[in-house]
Amino acid sequence: MSDHQVKLSEQEMKAYRVQGFTCTNCAGIFENNVKELPGVQDAKVNFGASKVYVKGTTTIEELEKAGAFENLKIRDEKEQRVEREPFWRQKENIKVYISAILLVISWFLGERYGEEHLLPTIGYAASIIIGGYSLFIKGLKNLIRLNFDMNTLMTIAILGAAVIGEWGEGATVVILFAISEALERYSMDKARQSIESLMDIAPKEALIRRGNEEMTVHVDDIQVGDIMIVKPGQKLAMDGVVIKGTSTLNQAAITGESVPVTKTLNDEVFAGTLNDEGLLEVEVTKRVEDITLSKIIHLVEEAQAERAPSQAFVDKFAKYYTPAIVIIALLIAVVPPLLFGGDWSQWIYEGLAVLVVGCPCALVVSTPVSIVTAIGNAAKNGVLIKGGIHLEEAGALKAIAFDKTGTLTKGVPAVTDIVTYGGNENELMTLTAAIEKGSQHPLASAIIRKAEENGLNFNSVTVEEFQSITGKGVKAKVNNDIYYVGSPSLFEELHGTISDDKKQKITQMQTQGKTVMVLGMEKEILLFIAVADEMRETSKEVINQLNNLGIKTVMLTGDNQKTAIAIGKQVGVSDIKADLLPEDKLNSIKELRGKYQSVAMVGDGVNDAPALAASTVGVAMGGAGTDTALETADIALMSDDLDKLPYTIKLSRKALVIIKQNISFSLAIKLVALLLVIPGWLTLWIAIFADMGATLLVTLNSLRLLKLKE
């Protein structure tokens, strides 16, 4: 099934939020249970985002029945998040307290009357039943189906301990297992909170004016074209365009930019951003399900569901690993007594301990927790990573190619130098702007902007006989004099030659990556104006950081070699490729992949789409407001800036390191515990601590990814 088909089918499916998932295994069981419900044609669980998609008809009560084995709570996707009870007061944890109290009382009774006495045995049995009944139900059901998961392994081990008279240890194992499950639930919730907090960014109501009436309307009922009134200190509830007022908006929630941005007439604004000082009137442009914030949340949730390569490996490994552990445990329990005259009771006990140690909890949870946490952290910092696979690939990057215009530079030409040869600078600039007003050339707009900035009244100048000289410039009559504005080559044609000092000045400005425009008459040159595409303030620093991370940086541009080299040197990239057509960019990416294997392409997501698709990781600039960037790229930088790129690489690398640490640690701790079987030192206590300790450490290790800041 293609991604597109999955998206389509998910749109037809109804989404519900699920509370209480602890492990991927439980999510799988829940998915199968939902599929078996009457009226349900298909179901798909997204563990990372804690959601279930259902095709067909069903009710929340039915779904909760399907999730009763794990005490799952279901709510409609659109429903407000209910405040959770504090962790220590949750119903699932109360049975652990009762069970623990019974265990302590039984232990004291055992000290007083001896372990074999009936009273401590009853106490231990009660503790096992209260703390482990839900575990046994799951375990026994699985045992009947010959489905060996951790519940099955724990059930066999605990019942086995009771059979051979180790009631105390059986009860302790139940409690330690229940504690480990509760802590796992807590840490998974913590990892998911980064997404849940995104959902709470935008208000659920807004002040809307329809006709002459102002009213508070729920976001679901706001229509495109409604006028939203946003007072200072309020958050925007919807995306739209400013139709009245000027203010600064803090867009950190969407783009990760900490510096507030000024917004005025016709500027685009986003839901979830905070209005700092002015009163704004905003015309709503999107329905609530289409706003940028909704898209971000949807993409992040999809990303967390996508399996990363290391997770696919772990899941496959666990599939063969669990039955192997059951066989090893059986051999340990049976072979020494049968062949070497060992004590049955001792070796059955060792076999049970191996079952407990063999629980693949830590291993199975090692990757998803890291991925959910890293993607959630990135989203809060204004970076959208669209899947675990892209997170892992970004961590392995060897080279990054940058489009120049609009990526390393602002993409808007600006006047950088004005050199006069006779006459007043302001007068000559007024004259040039008046002539260029009739031109469509992008460089003309730079000259007009400069004249406006300097407050020059060029609109009052009368321009006659305006004429375009194709590819070279323009010609016009002002106050009965003929003036030319154009490239140096136009004046070489007019004047024959340009004096050496002027030629030198032109060459000097061109080698700095600037384009030179000339104002002159039939016989003389009056003014040079140098125009350049401005470098983004952060580009140099970002390239420097990437070079320090050991990543090869390459600039791809359609500009001429001279300009490209000037800008490339200024920004500090390690390689420059100039004079490229869009298909040449695509070939450059293929070449780089041949050389470095793992290559990212950073572009603005529109004209760079083929190159973004050909790279290992496509990174789009300015995800906020551009649907193309969100759709085509693997990673979208929500702010129109590069400064989040080094953070993304560091986060991805750290996630890769943590995933490797988690897998290695989970396997190492099990191996050490299994080796204790040889001298017969492995106890149920050590086994459960090894399993619980590994799971907890793996989860806490993954949560370190929440701490990574820019």
Side-chain angles (χ1 to χ4, degrees), residues 110-313:
E111 288 294 302
R112 186 157 183 193
Y113 300 113
E115 282 293 327
E116 305 302 316
H117 196 276
L118 190 62
L119 276 177
T121 307
I122 291 169
Y124 287 136
S127 175
I128 288 174
I129 291 162
I130 291 167
Y133 70 88
S134 58
L135 164 74
F136 298 145
I137 292 165
K138 286 184 256 183
L140 292 168
K141 274 184 186 168
N142 287 343
L143 197 55
I144 294 161
R145 295 186 194 134
L146 290 178
N147 177 3
F148 290 100
D149 70 351
M150 72 194 173
N151 296 307
T152 325
L153 302 189
M154 294 303 285
T155 304
I156 298 169
I158 293 158
L159 296 179
V163 168
I164 58 171
E166 296 287 350
W167 289 94
E169 288 209 15
T172 311
V173 167
V174 165
I175 284 166
L176 289 175
F177 183 69
I179 292 169
S180 101
E181 277 211 308
L183 289 170
E184 216 177 295
R185 254 196 324 274
Y186 175 74
S187 48
M188 268 316 281
D189 280 352
K190 199 111 184 87
R192 286 196 189 101
Q193 269 166 15
S194 45
I195 301 306
E196 290 265 355
S197 63
L198 276 179
M199 289 170 202
D200 296 338
I201 287 170
K204 296 288 173 270
E205 293 181 326
L207 185 62
I208 294 291
R209 188 171 63 236
R210 288 180 184 156
N212 296 325
E213 203 184 334
E214 289 184 7
M215 59 192 104
T216 302
V217 179
H218 192 276
V219 287
D220 288 342
D221 303 321
I222 295 175
Q223 304 297 322
V224 171
D226 279 346
I227 307 302
M228 179 169 68
I229 297 161
V230 190
K231 295 173 183 172
Q234 285 187 338
K235 281 185 176 178
L236 277 75
M238 305 289 276
D239 285 8
V241 171
V242 177
I243 55 167
K244 190 177 173 188
T246 301
S247 182
T248 55
L249 292 190
N250 184 335
Q251 302 196 135
I254 302 289
T255 64
E257 299 163 289
S258 49
V259 181
V261 182
T262 304
K263 297 282 183 180
T264 186
L265 224 55
N266 298 327
D267 282 344
E268 199 175 359
V269 289
F270 307 108
T273 57
L274 178 69
N275 181 17
D276 282 347
E277 71 240 5
L279 182 76
L280 289 178
E281 288 192 13
V282 175
E283 184 180 333
V284 174
T285 53
K286 291 175 182 170
R287 286 192 53 76
V288 68
E289 57 269 20
D290 298 324
I291 61 174
T292 305
L293 184 64
S294 299
K295 281 197 165 160
I296 293 172
I297 292 164
H298 179 72
L299 285 168
V300 172
E301 291 185 334
E302 292 315 300
Q304 291 182 330
E306 206 181 292
R307 292 151 101 75
S310 55
Q311 192 179 337
F313 156 75

Side-chain angles (χ1 to χ4, degrees), residues 29-37 40 42-43 52 54 63 66:
I29 296 167
F30 177 59
E31 185 178 291
N32 289 332
N33 288 357
V34 173
K35 279 178 182 168
E36 285 165 18
L37 288 175
V40 172
D42 196 13
V52 60
V54 181
L63 290 171

Side-chain angles (χ1 to χ4, degrees), residues 35-81:
K35 279 178 182 168
E36 285 165 18
L37 288 175
V40 172
Q41 294 155 347
D42 196 13
K44 179 170 173 276
V45 166
N46 176 338
F47 173 68
S50 260
K51 281 168 97 171
V52 60
Y53 296 95
V54 181
K55 190 176 186 178
T57 51
T58 188
T59 61
I60 286 178
E61 290 72 31
E62 287 289 313
L63 290 171
E64 287 193 340
K65 259 187 221 163
F69 70 95
E70 185 75 341
N71 205 7
L72 300 177
K73 293 278 166 280
I74 316 288
R75 68 177 200 275
D76 195 293
E77 188 188 26
K78 287 195 171 71
E79 213 176 290
Q80 276 291 89
R81 179 153 62 111

